[in-house]
Amino acid sequence: MNLLMCLFCLLLDLTSIHSRMLMQSRIIGGHAAAPNSIKYMVSLQSTSSQHFCGGSLVHRYWVLTAAHCNIGEDQMMIVAGDYKVNIFEGTEQYAKPHRLVTHPLYNSSTNNADIMLIKLRAPMVLNKFVSLAPLPRQGTGVVEGHLCQVSGWGHNSVGGGQVPIELRTVTVPIVSAARCNSSDSFNGNITTNMICAGYQSGGKDACKGDSGGPLVCRGRVYGMVSWGNGCGDAKFPGVYTAVSRFRRWIDQTIYGPHLRCFGYR
Ligand SMILES: *[C@@H]1O[C@H](CO)[C@@H](O)[C@H](O)[C@H]1NC(C)=O
Ligand SMILES: *[C@@H]1O[C@H](CO)[C@@H](O)[C@H](O)[C@H]1NC(C)=O
Ligand SMILES: *[C@@H]1O[C@H](CO)[C@@H](O)[C@H](O)[C@H]1NC(C)=O
C-alpha cells in the first residue's frame, strides 16, 4: 500500500507542475537563518535521509505539514532540531510517523485544504533547539502588505549529491486574495483556504523542497508552503495553506472533538 502511495505521489508530482515538494531549487532571494533560530521547524526526510518537505512541530507528538508531502508513513522520517540538513550536528532528534492524518477536504488537483498532521511514534523533547510552533486562532487573517517570513531547506539535488545546506529564510508581503485570484494571476484557482505572498516585482519566494514549511506572520504560523507557478515570478506569488482556517481541525485532531476547553496556546 505504501509503495502504491509513493508511486501515486510521484505521479502526482510529475503531472502537477505546481507542487513544491520536489527538490529542484531553494528559497529564492533569501538568506541563511541563524542556527537553530526557528526551533519548531522540522525536516521531513525519506528513509534514505533525503529532505523532501518542511513542517512545524505543533505538539511534542505532532507535526503540521502540507498534505501533498504524504509519501506514505513507512517512507518518512521527521527530524527536529536540525540546521544543516544532511550534516549531523548533535542537536537533531529523529522520529518516525505513527499515523498520518490528511485533511478530508484535501484535493490534489486544486490543492485545496493542503494540510496534514503527522502523529509521531515517540515525542520530541523540547529543549534549546526544539520548541512548539505558535498557531493563529481560527479564522484570523493577515492584511495585504503585511511582511511574513518563509523558511525551508529546499535545495537543488540535480546530480544526486547531498549538499550540506543550512536553513534559509526570506521575507515576503501578503498579497490579497482578490489580486492573487485575478485574471492577471491565478485566475480563479485561489480558494478561501489559501493565502498568497510575494513582491509585485517577484524575486523572493519559496520553491520546490520548501513545501509544508512555515510562513510566519506576527510570530505565528499563518501559512504553509503549498504551490505556485514557477518560483519568484512577478505575476505569480507563492500560494500557502491558510493555517488559521484549520485551527479547529488541528486542535480536534490532536486533542479530540470534546476537549473544547483545553486547546494548546
Ligand atoms: C477536486 O476538485 C475538482 C475540481 O473542482 C473536482 O472535479 C474533483 O471532483 C475534486 N476531487 C475530489 C477528490 O474531491
Ligand atoms: C487554474 O487551474 C486550471 C485547472 O487546474 C489550470 O488549467 C490553469 O492553468 C490554472 N491557471 C492558473 C493561472 O494557475
Ligand atoms: C477565486 O475565484 C473563483 C472563481 O471566480 C471563486 O470561485 C473563488 O471563490 C475565488 N476565491 C476567493 C478566495 O475568493
Side-chain angles (χ1 to χ4, degrees):
M1 182 236 174
N2 281 305
L3 178 63
L4 266 180
M5 288 193 67
C6 197
L7 288 174
F8 178 62
C9 204
L10 282 175
L11 272 177
L12 273 182
D13 247 49
L14 291 175
T15 50
S16 141
I17 54 162
H18 297 310
S19 148
R20 295 196 152 184
M21 183 170 78
L22 284 188
M23 301 175 287
Q24 282 173 9
S25 41
R26 64 187 78 170
I27 288 274
I28 310 284
H31 58 272
N36 306 103
S37 54
I38 309 172
K39 303 184 209 302
Y40 48 81
M41 177 98 207
V42 303
S43 164
L44 307 192
Q45 303 188 357
S46 68
T47 41
S48 55
S49 301
Q50 283 278 346
H51 166 89
F52 65 89
C53 272
S56 299
L57 192 70
V58 295
H59 180 278
R60 289 188 314 137
Y61 268 104
W62 291 87
V63 164
L64 184 68
T65 186
H68 78 264
C69 292
N70 184 356
I71 62 164
E73 62 187 50
D74 289 352
Q75 315 295 321
M76 288 165 81
M77 176 68 88
I78 287 87
V79 187
D82 219 349
Y83 178 58
K84 286 185 178 164
V85 81
N86 295 328
I87 286 214
F88 183 72
E89 297 156 291
T91 53
E92 296 89 344
Q93 295 181 45
Y94 303 86
K96 289 192 151 185
H98 169 64
R99 181 159 66 96
L100 306 182
V101 186
T102 301
H103 196 278
L105 290 181
Y106 172 55
N107 185 320
S108 58
S109 47
T110 60
N111 296 309
N112 190 39
D114 188 8
I115 186 166
M116 174 170 76
L117 279 162
I118 303 174
K119 172 128 200 227
L120 307 176
R121 278 196 206 168
M124 296 293 185
V125 176
L126 306 184
N127 60 24
K128 259 175 26 184
F129 308 102
V130 177
S131 70
L132 301 182
L135 296 178
R137 287 173 198 280
Q138 177 73 29
T140 54
V142 192
V143 295
E144 177 159 50
H146 191 93
L147 293 176
C148 305
Q149 266 199 325
V150 57
S151 307
W153 282 286
H155 67 109
N156 194 325
S157 72
V158 176
Q162 294 201 340
V163 191
I165 182 121
E166 71 284 2
L167 183 65
R168 297 187 73 80
T169 187
V170 66
T171 300
V172 279
I174 295 294
V175 173
S176 71
R179 193 141 62 83
C180 197
N181 205 19
S182 73
S183 54
D184 290 335
S185 193
F186 287 106
N187 194 24
N189 289 347
I190 302 301
T191 71
T192 51
N193 294 323
M194 302 171 186
I195 51 180
C196 302
Y199 285 95
Q200 283 190 49
S201 51
K204 295 189 176 192
D205 200 0
C207 202
K208 308 278 180 183
D210 292 322
S211 278
L215 176 75
V216 178
C217 316
R218 289 195 227 107
R220 291 173 190 265
V221 180
Y222 270 88
M224 280 190 304
V225 178
S226 179
W227 62 288
N229 188 338
C231 299
D233 188 316
K235 238 183 110 177
F236 298 102
V239 187
Y240 298 81
T241 308
V243 173
S244 73
R245 301 271 304 173
F246 299 100
R247 176 63 197 267
R248 207 166 288 138
W249 176 78
I250 293 169
D251 287 356
Q252 289 183 352
T253 304
I254 295 178
Y255 296 106
H258 308 298
L259 280 169
R260 284 183 43 225
C261 317
F262 187 62
Y264 60 102
R265 280 161 203 263

Coordinates of all heavy atoms in Angstrom, one line a residue, residues 19 23 35 53-54 59 77 92 164 199 229 244:
S19 N 3.2 21.7 -7.6 CA 3.6 21.2 -6.3 C 5.0 21.6 -5.9 O 5.9 21.7 -6.8 CB 3.4 19.7 -6.2 OG 4.4 19.2 -5.3
M23 N 12.7 18.4 -5.0 CA 13.9 19.2 -4.7 C 14.5 19.7 -5.9 O 15.2 19.0 -6.6 CB 14.9 18.3 -4.0 CG 14.4 17.7 -2.7 SD 15.6 16.6 -2.0 CE 15.5 15.2 -3.1
P35 N 21.6 29.9 13.1 CA 21.5 28.4 13.5 C 20.4 28.2 14.6 O 20.4 29.0 15.6 CB 22.9 28.1 14.1 CG 23.7 29.1 13.3 CD 22.9 30.3 13.2
C53 N 10.5 17.8 2.3 CA 9.5 18.8 2.7 C 9.8 19.3 4.1 O 10.6 18.7 4.8 CB 8.1 18.1 2.8 SG 7.1 18.1 1.3
G54 N 9.2 20.5 4.4 CA 9.4 21.1 5.7 C 8.1 20.8 6.5 O 7.1 20.3 6.0
H59 N 3.1 20.1 18.6 CA 2.9 19.4 19.9 C 4.0 18.4 19.9 O 4.6 18.1 18.9 CB 1.5 18.6 19.7 CG 1.1 17.8 20.9 ND1 1.6 16.5 21.1 CD2 0.2 18.0 21.9 CE1 1.1 16.0 22.2 NE2 0.2 16.9 22.7
M77 N 10.8 10.0 7.7 CA 11.4 10.2 9.0 C 11.3 11.7 9.3 O 11.5 12.5 8.4 CB 12.9 9.8 8.9 CG 13.7 10.1 10.1 SD 13.3 9.0 11.4 CE 14.3 7.6 11.1
E92 N 20.0 17.2 16.6 CA 18.8 16.7 15.9 C 18.1 15.6 16.8 O 18.7 14.9 17.6 CB 19.3 15.9 14.6 CG 19.9 16.8 13.6 CD 21.4 17.0 13.7 OE1 21.9 16.7 14.8 OE2 22.0 17.4 12.7
P164 N 25.5 19.7 2.0 CA 25.1 20.2 3.3 C 24.5 21.6 3.2 O 25.1 22.5 2.5 CB 26.4 20.2 4.1 CG 27.4 20.1 3.1 CD 26.9 19.5 1.9
Y199 N 6.4 39.6 -3.6 CA 6.6 41.0 -4.1 C 6.0 41.1 -5.5 O 6.1 40.2 -6.3 CB 8.0 41.4 -4.1 CG 8.5 41.7 -2.7 CD1 9.2 40.7 -2.0 CD2 8.4 42.9 -2.1 CE1 9.6 40.9 -0.7 CE2 8.8 43.2 -0.8 CZ 9.5 42.2 -0.1 OH 9.9 42.4 1.2
N229 N 3.4 28.9 -9.3 CA 3.6 28.8 -10.8 C 5.0 29.3 -11.0 O 5.3 30.5 -11.1 CB 2.6 29.6 -11.5 CG 2.6 29.3 -13.0 OD1 3.6 28.9 -13.6 ND2 1.5 29.6 -13.7
S244 N -5.0 29.3 9.6 CA -6.0 29.8 10.6 C -7.4 29.2 10.2 O -8.3 29.2 11.0 CB -6.1 31.3 10.6 OG -6.6 31.8 9.4

